[in-house]
Amino acid sequence: MTVDAAAMSPSSTLRFKVDGLDCQNEVRALRVAVAPLVGGDDKLTFNTQAGVMEVKSENASAIDAIERAVATTGMRAHFLGEPVQPPASALLFRVEGLDCKNEVATLKREIGPLIGGEAWLMFDTAKGLMTVGPQRQATIDDIIARVAPTGMRASLVEVGTAETMLFRVHGLDCKNEVAALVRELGPLVGEDKLAFDTARGMMTVAPQIRAAADAIGEAVARTGMRAEPWSPPAVSGSATERAGVPEGPACGCTAEVEEALSPPIPTRLAGQVVFRIHGMDCADEIAALKREVGPLVGEDKLAFDLLNGRMSIDVTPDAALEARIEKAVARAGLRAERWIEGDTSEAAQAEERRKRVQSWLTTASGVLTALGFAVHAWLGGGVVAAFEAGEHALASTPLPSMVLYAVAVLCAARYVAPKAWLAAKRLRPDMNLLMMVAVAGAIGIGAWFEAATVSFFFALALALEAWSLGRARRAVAALMELAPPTARVKLEDGSERDVPAAEVRVGAHIIVRPGDKVPLDGRVAAGESEVNQAPITGESVPVFKAEGDEVFAGTINGEGALDVVTTKAANDTTLAQIIRMVGSAQSRRAPSEQWVEKFARVYTPVVMVLAIAIFLAPPLLLGGAWDVWFYRALVLLVIACPCALVISTPVTIVAALAGAAKQGVLVKGGTHLETPAHLKAIAMDKTGTLTEGRPQVVEIVPLGGRSERELLGLAAALEARSGHPIARAILAKATELKIAAEPAEAVQAITGRGVIGRVAGREMWLGSRRYIEERGINSDAVLQRADKLSSAGRTIVAVGDGQDVWGLVAVADAVRPEAKEIVTALHRAGIKHVVMLTGDNRATAEAIAKQTGIDEVRAELLPGDKVAAVEDLVRRYGSVAMVGDGVNDAPAMGRANLGIAMGAMGSDAAIETADVALMSDDLSKLPWLVRHSRATLAVIRQNVAFSIAVKLVFTALTVIGLASLWGAIAADVGASLLVVLNGLRLLNRGQTSTQQGGPSGGLGVSPHRRQAAAFTHTVPG
């Protein structure tokens, strides 16, 4: 080899591509062979991911010697020249085939080590875009080359000399924010120039010349969010260390097994700080936290998860700010610590001990109150005398009883008094202060029995509140028990080993024995079996699984053993996402919950003022007795305590969310739980929603003397890399007829119309009936034949080159057998209008609408047309839901009042996109969801009305002198207990006894599933 030595700098870095360089064994061999030639090991660096060796050398003539030295190791070196400096700006790639988190995980594994880590990667699966942050380790060609072996294809998005801009957007975490950003930034830079990674809160602006970074930041600010240019994370170690070989054992399969068993990287929440708040059990604590923490970060940045005792703040992590937040939480009488998933800290253990102590003290208070009353009755003249002593000041309380009552008050007030003192200091009266004033007043007038009873019953109400939350927590914890804690990993030597599921890496082989639960999401590598998916989807019939099919954590294997290759880590499985969603959904509060909180905020100080008025007005204006009206004022304080009112709504919402999860219906927060009750219209996608979503080729019509095999082979070549249902149908038919087709080159999708590509050096196309007209093909014979096939309810795919049509392929999708019954059930449930939105031809859509009873059909729609159709429905009917697959229909779902994803199991994008995710493809869950939402609203109204009615009745009784302190207490605690039990009914609403136990007692089983499910199988997502 000859090289222009003059062109090389005195101290150059020579790059060699080394065939066979992929692990530490080869690195050691190359060091031994090459280091003596170049002056030592420090002159050599290796990137085993790319198979590249770099040599720092002052002698250009050493290239041949280095290649010869490499050859002695059994490998072969190819000189690549001096390193090409990678770009220092962000890069945006369009990746064909990138549409869900499985591909994201694959790309992270391939590209991450090449560029220095996964932190430099962002993905927009809805648009198939990948952003690579500014780095200097890999060139554009390196990245494109690394994508190719995954079966995907990457191409750089670039316009002239402009650069890709990358922003962290604080507040960007779901499709609602995406829709808002698109509305603001679309006209500024163009909608096609925007990509969003909601998991990391990142936005990419593709190269464009219309707007500068400042203008983009201002536009983002108008949405209520904040954008800042992204800066690379600090990573220790050299580039070579990051991209090269980690120190450890030699390569080979042993290394792969070690990787499979090593702990997965913990998940992080971008742009967010999450605290565990010890002592946060009710709305009062949340109100206190808002007052103390809100001024530091902005109240709109706060979100609370009462169920799990967590507070999340939408700010960039900062040590100084976190310290101030912890001090602010302490001022509210609570304790904060950073939350780490799966971690049990000393503070958490201390909180558990505190709860146990509180339970013991509450029990002690009740026992001591009962003992004090018994002693009072024995020494003071009987039960009636003991009851009336305080109320009518007829007799003094015996000293032994007084001591027992006093200790009972102290036990009950141990955790109430500090909060009451904080409320008094801040002049913000709450329930705790209201109760302590009532207790002190009762002691002041000698009503010791009433004081002890008030204390005990208020402590009991707090315990009841904690119990109701614990009941809901246990319902969520039951989900966690669906997946087994260990997985049986198959090692390279054929042996098997039980390993904690959390330590199994993606790509490991696990064995699922007959009757076992599946520990992790994965794909069947070998074996066949029927798998009971009821714990996740509610399907009543087991689903047959064979090689290539997906299985999910928490499902139950049947009679056959399965060898499964894991596709997700334990903290990223579909079940794990369900658990996180159910656990955090309560923080997205329902409108009724927000109303109750606002009402209680005003209600408590009003009650304090009213109690003072009742105490002062009658004696001053009407000459009433001071002691009588003071007692009545205390009774009013007790009965007016808003415990039942405040606790009723959150408990009802949590129970309703957990109950829906048991049915395989995931509602992303209370705010979306009430919407189905108000729906007037539902828009549905056709494919995969009203139909099975598995179209089949039913007729092949070759034209111009061509054969069916020739026509189908061409169509298969053009669709070889597509995941569209129609493409899968064509490829399945080609496989069935044993037609082998090489994938077309330079394939380009034409959104909503078809594809073009090069087959055997010839430009070919494939498209819809509409695309035939757009290409200007005016052959009446072809169009009439296409229309005849379309009128029979079939989808037409035309194939041709230039202006010549080679033939037509007719594809049909079977209507779900239950679809008509479900549409009828929706009408019965009060849905006035059911609409089908589809990109398919009108004749096919009309035929399906006639079979199912759909009210309105809108066909041949592009994604943008679906958005316009939903907007029109919103104008006409007010409250509209959009049902789709959660990915392709995302824009329309974002515009609707409620987005519902069908068959979301296994589709991370569907779970993230929708407001409601139906884990199975069971349409019967739609009318059930509407009824469940209405039942939830009915329970909330019952609880609120009952709580207020009890208050009003006892207020009236207090004014006329017919209420007593202990009676008011009994009424208040009784009301709290009744509203809690009424709300908890929603946990098991709509379930049969079969669902509540046994292997299907997880997320629920639908007894209405058709037996046809036993003979059909759809891979979810």
Side-chain angles (χ1 to χ4, degrees):
M1 173 178 290
T2 59
V3 176
D4 184 1
M8 298 185 62
S9 59
S11 181
S12 299
T13 299
L14 310 178
R15 298 175 77 242
F16 296 85
K17 174 68 177 175
V18 181
D19 297 337
L21 170 59
D22 58 13
C23 74
Q24 280 278 52
N25 279 348
E26 286 82 18
V27 168
R28 293 191 183 100
L30 288 168
R31 288 187 187 279
V32 171
V34 180
L37 290 177
V38 297
D41 282 357
D42 59 324
K43 305 292 185 181
L44 300 174
T45 54
F46 301 89
N47 184 341
T48 55
Q49 296 287 336
V52 171
M53 174 180 71
E54 293 187 356
V55 181
K56 290 182 180 178
S57 175
E58 299 179 1
N59 184 5
S61 62
I63 294 172
D64 289 332
I66 291 171
E67 290 179 343
R68 287 194 298 272
V70 170
T72 64
T73 67
M75 291 175 274
R76 186 177 179 186
H78 309 276
F79 181 60
L80 298 177
E82 295 188 66
V84 178
Q85 184 68 10
S89 61
L91 301 172
L92 182 63
F93 294 88
R94 187 172 303 283
V95 182
E96 295 177 23
L98 170 61
D99 58 15
C100 76
K101 280 198 174 176
N102 287 340
E103 284 82 20
V104 168
T106 301
L107 289 169
K108 283 182 177 179
R109 287 197 301 272
E110 291 294 330
I111 308 298
L114 185 67
I115 62 174
E118 295 178 6
W120 271 261
L121 291 172
M122 280 65 70
F123 299 91
D124 186 336
T125 53
K127 293 185 176 181
L129 296 173
M130 174 180 73
T131 304
V132 178
Q135 47 80 42
R136 291 191 177 276
Q137 296 193 55
T139 66
I140 295 168
D141 290 339
D142 290 337
I143 294 168
I144 291 174
R146 184 53 60 85
V147 172
T150 68
M152 291 174 272
R153 182 181 296 177
S155 58
L156 184 68
V157 177
E158 59 180 336
V159 176
T161 58
E163 290 188 352
T164 297
M165 289 185 280
L166 189 55
F167 297 89
R168 182 180 298 283
V169 181
H170 301 286
L172 170 60
D173 59 11
C174 75
K175 67 180 181 64
N176 293 332
E177 284 82 19
V178 169
L181 288 166
V182 168
R183 282 196 299 271
E184 285 294 334
L185 292 170
L188 188 64
V189 301
E191 288 188 21
D192 60 324
K193 302 297 182 186
L194 296 170
F196 302 93
D197 186 338
T198 54
R200 297 189 56 193
M202 305 295 293
M203 175 180 73
T204 304
V205 181
Q208 47 81 43
I209 56 174
R210 295 162 59 181
D214 292 344
I216 293 171
E218 291 171 4
V220 171
R222 290 196 293 272
T223 68
M225 291 174 271
R226 179 167 59 88
E228 61 182 27
W230 182 82
S231 56
V235 180
S236 61
S238 67
T240 307
E241 291 169 340
R242 292 193 298 268
V245 188
E247 290 299 324
C251 70
C253 298
T254 306
E256 293 175 8
V257 172
E258 291 208 357
E259 182 182 359
L261 300 181
S262 61
I265 299 170
T267 52
R268 293 281 181 259
L269 297 173
Q272 195 177 67
V273 182
V274 183
F275 290 93
R276 187 183 298 281
I277 307 297
H278 301 292
M280 186 175 77
D281 292 321
C282 72
D284 261 6
E285 281 91 12
I286 290 178
L289 288 168
K290 284 182 178 178
R291 288 195 297 268
E292 296 296 339
V293 182
L296 292 178
V297 297
E299 194 168 313
D300 60 318
K301 302 290 186 186
L302 295 173
F304 297 91
D305 177 3
L306 192 61
L307 186 65
N308 294 300
R310 295 200 296 255
M311 174 180 71
S312 58
I313 308 175
D314 189 18
V315 296
T316 303
D318 174 78
L321 178 61
E322 288 175 26
R324 293 199 300 274
I325 290 170
E326 289 177 9
K327 290 178 181 177
V329 172
R331 290 197 299 271
L334 305 167
R335 184 177 176 186
E337 67 170 342
R338 280 295 297 270
W339 174 73
I340 301 173
E341 188 171 2
D343 184 48
T344 304
S345 64
E346 291 183 9
Q349 294 170 358
E351 176 64 13
E352 288 300 317
R353 288 194 296 271
R354 182 196 70 80
K355 288 180 179 178
R356 286 197 297 271
V357 171
Q358 188 170 6
S359 298
W360 295 336
L361 290 175
T362 301
T363 303
S365 176
V367 170
L368 290 169
T369 300
L371 284 175
F373 181 79
V375 171
H376 192 167
W378 178 44
L379 298 177
V383 172
V384 175
F387 266 121
E388 295 180 342
E391 184 176 353
H392 301 291
L394 297 178
S396 61
T397 302
L399 182 61
S401 294
M402 201 180 298
V403 172
L404 289 168
Y405 287 145
V407 177
V409 168
L410 292 174
C411 288
R414 165 64 183 84
Y415 293 103
V416 178
K419 295 178 183 178
W421 172 242
L422 283 171
K425 280 202 305 183
R426 288 168 175 72
L427 300 178
R428 294 181 181 273
D430 61 9
M431 289 188 296
N432 301 292
L433 178 60
L434 196 137
M435 283 297 100
M436 291 311 298
V437 169
V439 169
I443 292 173
I445 63 172
W448 283 95
F449 168 62
E450 283 84 347
T453 310
V454 167
S455 302
F456 166 64
F457 275 120
F458 186 65
L460 183 62
L462 295 179
L464 183 68
E465 190 171 39
W467 171 81
S468 65
L469 284 174
R471 175 82 169 80
R473 281 191 189 104
R474 287 190 292 275
V476 175
L479 303 181
M480 301 179 189
E481 296 171 3
L482 290 177
T486 61
R488 194 166 189 81
V489 176
K490 182 179 179 181
L491 304 180
E492 186 60 31
D493 59 5
S495 62
E496 298 173 7
R497 172 179 160 195
D498 287 329
V499 174
E503 296 180 8
V504 178
R505 276 276 187 177
V506 172
H509 281 256
I510 58 174
I511 302 299
V512 185
R513 293 169 294 192
D516 282 358
K517 289 182 178 179
V518 179
L520 297 161
D521 286 8
R523 188 171 287 106
V524 177
E528 295 180 349
S529 183
E530 288 191 334
V531 175
N532 178 6
Q533 298 188 154
I536 305 293
T537 67
E539 291 172 290
S540 58
V541 179
V543 177
F544 180 76
K545 302 285 186 180
E547 185 176 345
D549 290 336
E550 289 182 280
V551 292
F552 303 93
T555 56
I556 303 161
N557 189 22
E559 298 298 321
L562 296 176
D563 181 347
V564 176
V565 178
T566 60
T567 56
K568 294 181 182 176
N571 62 356
D572 197 34
T573 63
T574 300
L575 178 62
Q577 292 186 67
I578 293 171
I579 293 166
R580 280 197 291 270
M581 181 185 293
V582 175
S584 64
Q586 197 273 335
S587 63
R588 300 177 178 92
R589 296 174 303 145
S592 56
E593 198 172 353
Q594 297 175 36
W595 178 86
V596 167
E597 182 185 317
K598 291 176 183 175
F599 178 81
R601 198 179 297 166
V602 176
Y603 172 84
T604 305
V606 168
V607 165
M608 294 286 285
V609 172
L610 183 59
I612 293 171
I614 285 180
F615 170 51
L616 296 177
L620 292 176
L621 302 179
L622 303 175
W626 287 97
D627 57 342
V628 171
W629 287 102
F630 182 68
Y631 183 85
R632 292 180 183 178
L634 293 180
V635 173
L636 179 63
L637 284 179
V638 171
I639 192 58
C641 176
C643 276
L645 183 64
V646 171
I647 194 178
S648 63
T649 309
V651 167
T652 301
I653 294 294
V654 169
L657 291 170
K662 288 184 177 184
Q663 292 288 315
V665 180
L666 299 184
V667 184
K668 294 177 72 172
T671 185
H672 303 303
L673 185 61
E674 295 185 9
T675 306
H678 305 297
L679 291 176
K680 300 299 180 188
I682 291 182
M684 296 185 186
D685 180 41
K686 176 181 72 70
T687 305
T689 303
L690 289 167
T691 65
E692 294 284 1
R694 297 190 315 279
Q696 297 177 340
V697 174
V698 294
E699 190 171 352
I700 303 171
V701 184
L703 301 173
R706 296 174 177 87
S707 68
E708 289 189 1
R709 292 181 65 85
E710 189 178 5
L711 176 62
L712 193 60
L714 176 59
L718 289 167
E719 295 281 35
R721 299 192 186 280
S722 174
H724 192 278
I726 290 178
R728 287 198 292 267
I730 290 173
L731 294 171
K733 189 67 174 179
T735 302
E736 179 187 333
L737 298 179
K738 296 183 171 56
I739 297 173
E742 285 292 325
E745 299 175 346
V747 175
Q748 181 179 350
I750 305 166
T751 306
R753 295 171 178 82
V755 296
I756 58 175
R758 197 163 51 250
V759 181
R762 192 173 186 177
E763 195 75 24
M764 308 297 293
W765 58 267
L766 175 150
S768 63
R769 162 75 166 75
R770 176 177 177 178
Y771 187 54
I772 297 176
E773 293 180 335
E774 289 184 1
R775 288 191 69 90
I777 299 171
N778 298 315
S779 171
D780 291 338
V782 171
L783 295 176
Q784 286 173 10
R785 192 66 183 269
D787 290 339
K788 184 178 179 181
L789 291 170
S790 296
S791 63
R794 295 170 176 176
T795 300
I796 304 306
V797 177
V799 184
D801 64 339
Q803 298 299 104
D804 189 15
V805 180
W806 284 34
L808 305 172
V809 179
V811 178
D813 189 5
V815 176
R816 292 179 184 273
E818 70 272 23
K820 184 174 181 178
E821 181 184 334
I822 300 308
V823 173
T824 303
L826 286 171
H827 283 135
R828 283 200 303 267
I831 305 300
K832 294 180 179 178
H833 206 65
V834 181
V835 185
M836 180 200 299
L837 305 180
T838 178
D840 213 340
N841 67 73
R842 177 160 292 279
T844 301
E846 293 282 4
I848 291 174
K850 189 174 181 180
Q851 293 179 57
T852 57
I854 293 287
D855 299 309
E856 181 184 344
V857 173
R858 299 196 182 190
E860 300 177 6
L861 302 177
L862 297 175
D865 298 330
K866 287 187 179 182
V867 175
V870 170
E871 288 177 343
D872 179 58
L873 290 171
V874 170
R875 282 194 298 270
R876 287 161 55 196
Y877 294 97
S879 188
V880 176
M882 173 66 193
V883 185
D885 66 5
V887 183
N888 300 331
D889 300 307
M893 291 167 71
R895 180 62 190 88
N897 302 90
L898 187 73
I900 302 174
M902 282 284 294
M905 185 177 70
S907 171
D908 302 319
I911 293 176
E912 287 180 0
T913 300
D915 303 318
V916 176
L918 307 183
M919 297 311 294
S920 69
D921 54 359
D922 185 0
L923 271 173
S924 69
K925 301 300 184 186
L926 286 176
W928 181 90
L929 175 63
V930 173
R931 293 193 300 271
H932 185 65
S933 176
R934 289 176 181 166
T936 302
L937 279 181
V939 169
I940 290 173
R941 292 188 186 112
Q942 291 165 11
N943 287 346
V944 171
F946 177 70
S947 301
I948 293 177
V950 169
K951 308 298 181 192
L952 293 176
V953 168
F954 260 81
T955 298
L957 292 175
T958 299
V959 173
I960 62 177
L962 296 179
S964 63
L965 266 178
W966 61 266
I969 297 159
D972 184 59
V973 174
S976 297
L977 181 60
L978 287 174
V979 298
V980 165
L981 294 177
N982 192 36
L984 289 177
R985 287 190 303 118
L986 294 169
L987 271 174
N988 298 314
R989 183 185 172 278
Q991 294 183 66
T992 64
S993 58
T994 307
Q995 289 171 271
Q996 297 177 41
S1000 59
L1003 295 180
V1005 178
S1006 170
H1008 308 297
R1009 295 286 291 171
R1010 294 287 180 269
Q1011 291 301 315
F1015 308 106
T1016 60
H1017 171 56
T1018 304
V1019 178

